[in-house]
Amino acid sequence: MKNYSFRVLVPFNEETKTLNPPNNLRNSIFLAGPCPRFDYEDDWRYTAFDILEELGFRGTVITPTNDKYSDMERHQPEALWAQTEWERTMMHICSALVFWVPRCEKWPAFTTNVEFGEWYKKPGVYFGFPDDAIRMKYLTLKFTEQKKTWYNDLKKMLSDVVNDLQKSPERKWGRHRNTRRCNHKWQDVCRYRIHHRHNSNHSNQRKCSPL
């Protein structure tokens, strides 16, 4: 990966062998959308990184792409569940949640459909897809029902994201005020949840949530 003027936050920390905590996420952008499963160099987010560098963004860019997932499985209990919780936490905390969906046969974006359904009504959410993306009518319809603008140009969307964050300093703190309480203890909380996941009922799981 290139060196950028902003910080790129990935899920797994190779040094600590744990998930990266949600620290210092003021002025942050989460890049949601389909992730590569094998060829990690073939990721649309590299284009997004270059665009954000060109736009002069200086915050944190959060990517769910985890090219160290196989390594994570060896060190992190219930790796899939842990990554899912990490992504949900970061989506909740970030200043802007950006969905770019280049859906095609190679990138079916099944997980993205679920995540979009969970977040599209909330503030600070952006959505777009290239002109050649397939099966996007329903997501577009639901987003338009919220009187939100969707994009067919990644650069235009990211430019508007950066401009919106610059115009609204309060938004930089995140889309939800209570997420300021998240700190370095999040890792301990997450490990606690994983350890007790099978020994707690659904209600207790929610009480242990870092959010």
Side-chain angles (χ1 to χ4, degrees), residues 9-11 19-23 25 28 30 62 84-97 119 175 186 211:
L9 184 63
V10 299
L19 292 164
N20 280 310
N23 294 340
L25 294 186
S28 59
F30 187 105
I62 309 167
T84 300
E85 286 296 297
W86 184 89
E87 292 179 17
R88 183 179 292 115
T89 300
M90 297 301 173
M91 288 180 175
H92 193 88
I93 296 174
C94 65
S95 308
L97 176 53
W119 296 99
R175 296 173 303 110
W186 177 81
L211 300 178

Side-chain angles (χ1 to χ4, degrees), residues 51 96 102 146:
I51 292 172
Q146 300 301 309

Side-chain angles (χ1 to χ4, degrees), residues 50-62:
D50 291 341
I51 292 172
L52 288 168
E53 181 73 11
E54 181 183 340
L55 293 171
F57 182 67
R58 295 296 182 268
T60 297
V61 180
I62 309 167

